[in-house]
């Protein structure tokens, strides 16, 4: 389902509602990043066939993202595979005796404005 959504927002699949291809690189990247996260979190828990399907789908979508990003004039497309750069391992990070608790970040905006950022519109 994530791969289909990414393909939809890369213009590879026509929008079922309008019948036309649409390109939204931000949403496509979100779905591609989620697939990469799923791949990482399920590593070692999938059959070789499942891992291969996931890997192929992810690499095909990343390549399509790069191609569409090049075609879009004025797009600020980021590299499609930032997850390829491995994060530093815990052993590489300096050791601290005690982690400091973090306080919740309060938004300066009223709560209703803050919630609007995370709602998604599916129609006009």
């Amino acid at each position: 389902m994530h791969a289909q959504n990414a393909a939809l927002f890369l213009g590879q699949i026509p929008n079922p509602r309008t019948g036309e291809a649409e390109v939204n690189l931000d949403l496509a990247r979100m779905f591609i990043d989620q697939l990469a996260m799923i791949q990482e979190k399920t590593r070692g828990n999938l059959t070789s066939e499942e891992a291969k399907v996931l890997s192929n789908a992810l690499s095909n979508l990343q390549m399509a993202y790069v191609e569409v990003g090049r075609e879009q004039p004025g797009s600020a497309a980021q590299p499609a595979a930032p997850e390829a750069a491995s994060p530093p391992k815990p052993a590489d990070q300096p050791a601290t005796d005690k982690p400091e608790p973090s306080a919740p970040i309060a938004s300066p905006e009223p709560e209703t404005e803050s919630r609007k950022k995370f709602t998604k519109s599916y129609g006009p």
Side-chain angles (χ1 to χ4, degrees):
M1 187 164 62
H2 278 66
Q4 287 178 332
N5 284 331
L8 171 75
F9 291 116
L10 289 172
Q12 295 179 335
I13 299 173
N15 184 327
R17 190 171 194 200
T18 63
E20 296 179 11
E22 70 179 69
V23 175
N24 186 329
L25 290 177
D26 291 334
L27 287 175
R29 183 176 176 149
M30 180 189 73
F31 285 111
I32 292 169
D33 288 346
Q34 287 177 357
L35 274 175
M37 179 195 61
I38 290 168
Q39 182 183 38
E40 184 63 31
K41 293 292 183 178
T42 59
R43 190 177 312 270
N45 294 323
L46 301 175
T47 66
S48 61
E49 184 178 316
E50 290 169 334
K52 188 175 182 178
V53 167
L54 181 58
S55 176
N56 288 340
L58 186 56
S59 62
N60 289 338
L61 288 169
Q62 288 171 335
M63 290 302 297
Y65 178 89
V66 170
E67 291 172 9
V68 171
R70 288 181 183 160
E71 294 171 3
Q72 296 293 316
S75 69
Q78 299 292 323
E83 62 276 353
S86 61
K89 306 252 185 249
D92 297 342
Q93 297 175 350
T96 58
D97 293 335
K98 186 172 143 183
E100 295 184 23
S102 60
I105 299 172
S107 174
E109 301 172 344
E111 187 175 338
T112 56
E113 288 299 316
S114 177
R115 288 180 186 231
K116 286 183 182 178
K117 288 181 186 178
F118 301 104
T119 59
K120 191 171 185 179
S121 173
Y122 292 99

